[in-house]
Each structure stands twice: as C-alpha cells, then as structure tokens.
Amino acid sequence: MNTYARLPVTFVKGEGVWLWDDRGERYLDALSGVAVCGLGHCHPRLAKAICEQASTLIHTSNLYRIEKQERLAECLVALSGMDNAFFCNSGAEANEAAIKLARLHGHNRGISLPTIIVMERSFHGRTMATLTASGNRKVQAGFEPLLSGFVRAPYNNLEAVAQVAANNKDVVAILVEPFQGEGGVNIPEAHYLQQLRALCDQNGWLLMLDEVQSGIGRSGKWFAFQHSQIMPDVITLAKGLGGGVPIGACLAKGVAADVFKPGNHASTFGGNPLACAAALETLQVIEDENLIGHAAEIGDFMRDRFKRQLADVVGVVQVRGQGLIVGVELAVPCVELVKRALERKLLINVTSDKVVRLLPAFVMQQREAEQVVDVTCELIKEFLNS
Ligand SMILES: *Cc1c(COP(=O)(O)O)cnc(C)c1O
C-alpha cells in the first residue's frame, strides 16, 4: 500500500556503518534503520547467531517454554533492575502491553475508567491505542474515533502534569519517553524523571517509560532512566533490541510485574526462538565490545563538532542529544536535506520538520563520525544560504 514516501534508492548489502545500493554505490549510514542496527549492518556474530538458531529451531509458540526467551528475560531483568518481561514484535506492541497493563492495574484497584497521562509531541506507535497516546495530530488525523482514557500534558513540565492530575481522579499511570526522538530530539531537564517518579509515588500511579528508541544503549547507558537514579514500574523496548530482527518487550517491576495473569495478554510470534537468539547476541556483543561507552563518546564528539562548525550560522537553533542520538534544530523546515544528503551518499533523517536527526550505529568510528558531521554541516549551510 501507499504508506511510505520512499526515497529513490534500493540497498542490497550492508557492513558496519556502510550500505551498498543495487548499482554498487556505497553510502555512509548515520541512521541505522532508525535506531535499530546498533551493531552496524550484518555484524558477523549476529549473523552467525541468527543462522545457527534458524537451522536449529525457529518457532514453537508461547504454548511451550522457550529457553532463549527465558534467558533473554533474565538478561534484560539483570541489566535493568526490573522484575519480569513480556515479549512482542514491535515498539507499538510493547506500548500496547504497557497500556493494557496500566488499565488492568486500574481495574484491579476499583477504577473503572482508568486514565493514562501522556505528553505533547510524544510518539508511541501507529496502532489505535498508541496513536491515541502519541502527541502528534498528523499521526491521529483521519483515524478518529480515538480511544478514551488518555489525558495530555506538555513534555518536560512537571507543574502541568500535577495540574492535569488534580482534575482527574482516574489517573493510573504516566507514559513518557525519557527523551523524545520522533518529537524532535527533545531532552528533558536532568530531574524530570525523578520528579515524575515522586509524583507517581505520591498518587499511586505507575511510571511507564517508552524506551523503544532510548533503550538498549542509545542514550549512553543501557536504559535512559539509568541517567536519573530512579526505577520505573514499566519500560517498553523494541528498535535496537534485536539488532534488526523484529522483537519488542515490556518489562515490569513490583506491583506492575504481577498484573497480567494467564489469558490477559499474548502474542503468537512474541519472543520466539529466532528473535530471542538475535536479541541475546545483540546484548552480548554490546557488552563484549563495550559499545555503550563508545557510543556515548562518539555522540559527544559529534555534538561538539556540530557546535563548533555551526556556531555562527544564522538559522541553526540548537545542537542537542544524549548518547548516540544527535539533533540539529533549524529555524525553518528542512526535510529537503534528506534528499540532498542521499545525493552525497549520506543517510540522515529529519524529524518534526525542522530537526536533523542522526542515530548512527554504536560501532561508528571517529573518522566516519567526522565525515557525517562535516558533510551534514556543509549541507545545512548550503541549504540555509539557498
Ligand atoms: C519507533 C518508536 C515506537 C514505535 O515502534 P514500532 O516498532 O514502529 O511500532 C514507539 N515509541 C518510540 C519512542 C519510538 O521511537
């Protein structure tokens, strides 16, 4: 169906931060399949793990125990400090699980119309519940009626959340991204999550973090909440978790970990042996190659270099980010830059109309990062002067 305005290029091969198209041209990838291929393209260890699992056992269903799913759950629980995991196949599905969990939690506590606080400019996916939760009219328009049970507050504004809550006795949870990716690479104040945590504790709400983009090392730690000395009740994961193989997860802790009972939620494919083998190897490679520390360094390096090269450029609003997400906000819409970068054999993204967004693989080296920044800066300057 006509759901994507695709760029006129077909990639047929990848290795590390490089992609080749069907004419043999090579491209530098600063987007990694939208924050998915953290290990770079076709990491030999990931490819081997997938091949081995594919020739051993691909799928059995969740009617039976799945050894690699149990091991993956143990890994994620150990890395995050959460208690348990539900596996699905995408970010939207992980958030659906979180939303259902919060609603059931509300019903268990006698709240018959449970309400979840969500944020302006947020993005949580394209299913009916997650597009309702998303704070972007473009994502919702034409798909009304939206779901009930959500109230919205501005991002990075604690007062507003407290105020929304004061007017609504049915609130059971907050669903929020530790940083907003699609919404324009918006990094909240340092104490934002701590303050939301305190508000949740005061009111008996669940703090549910959408770490679909920020999780699995992207923020410069395993999970973005680990920058702020708090524990969430629920976190959702997908994108980078399987290194390119579709898998999502909803992790829960404490009271939230005991909400679902057999029959409440399920997925045919969720956490199958193939997807879990890919995710297990992805986590192991990140650990063995110390990729998170490296990602954080490369991210800082890129932001510094952008700031220096764009310091006096009129029309550049701000360079920002965290870990290996880099955003450059311009004063004007700049979606055109994506095409111009493609002509220069560089893959970048523009989100929220005005924000150039880079999400390189964690394996990107300094020399490649320099090339990404230098070409992007040239393109930005040309664009602003034209
Ligand atoms: C990409 C994204 C989603 C949706 O993930 P899908 O796998 O496309 O369903 C949800 N939340 C955030 C924060 C995302 O970045």
Side-chain angles (χ1 to χ4, degrees), residues 8-243:
V9 64
T10 306
F11 296 114
V12 295
K13 193 179 94 158
E15 190 184 319
V17 296
W18 301 97
L19 283 167
W20 284 264
D21 71 10
D22 53 1
R23 294 177 308 187
E25 297 272 6
R26 190 177 80 151
Y27 297 74
L28 180 51
D29 184 3
L31 192 58
S32 42
V34 196
V36 168
C37 306
L39 308 184
H41 295 287
C42 303
H43 191 290
R45 280 184 56 187
L46 178 58
K48 183 160 175 273
I50 293 168
C51 289
E52 282 179 6
Q53 188 62 47
S55 52
T56 307
L57 186 64
I58 295 177
H59 178 88
T60 53
S61 93
N62 282 298
L63 297 173
Y64 315 103
R65 288 182 65 169
I66 299 172
E67 187 217 340
K68 290 232 160 69
Q69 185 185 114
E70 293 179 13
R71 274 175 51 201
L72 178 60
E74 278 162 18
C75 257
L76 290 171
V77 158
L79 291 170
S80 65
M82 305 297 280
D83 288 343
N84 59 13
F86 171 84
F87 291 101
C88 52
N89 316 286
S90 69
E93 278 180 79
N95 287 327
E96 286 278 345
I99 291 163
K100 284 181 66 176
L101 189 156
R103 287 183 168 201
L104 191 54
H105 174 65
H107 283 277
N108 290 343
R109 297 174 59 206
I111 298 174
S112 58
L113 295 172
T115 296
I116 300 172
I117 299 178
V118 291
M119 303 303 161
E120 288 174 8
R121 312 193 69 174
S122 61
F123 182 74
H124 299 295
R126 300 288 197 149
T127 60
M128 280 312 305
T130 58
L131 75 82
T132 299
S134 296
N136 180 344
R137 274 307 294 161
K138 276 193 202 159
V139 168
Q140 299 172 338
F143 300 109
E144 298 83 359
L146 303 181
L147 271 61
S148 56
F150 294 92
V151 285
R152 198 169 302 285
Y155 190 61
N156 194 21
N157 183 335
L158 190 79
E159 285 293 290
V161 175
Q163 211 158 7
V164 164
N167 298 322
N168 195 322
K169 60 179 183 4
D170 293 332
V171 171
V172 292
I174 298 176
L175 174 63
V176 61
E177 296 154 276
F179 64 66
Q180 293 182 329
E182 306 303 308
V185 191
N186 305 316
I187 316 296
E189 276 178 54
H191 297 295
Y192 184 53
L193 290 187
Q194 273 162 338
Q195 292 167 334
L196 290 180
R197 177 73 269 176
L199 205 56
C200 286
D201 289 343
Q202 282 161 30
N203 292 284
W205 307 333
L206 302 178
L207 179 61
M208 309 201 296
L209 301 181
D210 180 344
E211 292 239 24
V212 169
Q213 190 158 154
S214 61
I216 315 295
R218 182 58 59 183
S219 77
K221 294 194 185 282
W222 275 107
F223 304 96
F225 78 81
Q226 292 169 332
H227 290 278
S228 58
Q229 294 91 43
I230 57 135
M231 281 304 300
D233 300 291
V234 173
I235 66 179
T236 57
L237 302 170
K239 290 204 164 85
L241 178 56

Side-chain angles (χ1 to χ4, degrees), residues 263-278:
N264 287 143
H265 199 47
S267 165
T268 296
F269 292 126
N272 84 8
L274 186 68
C276 290

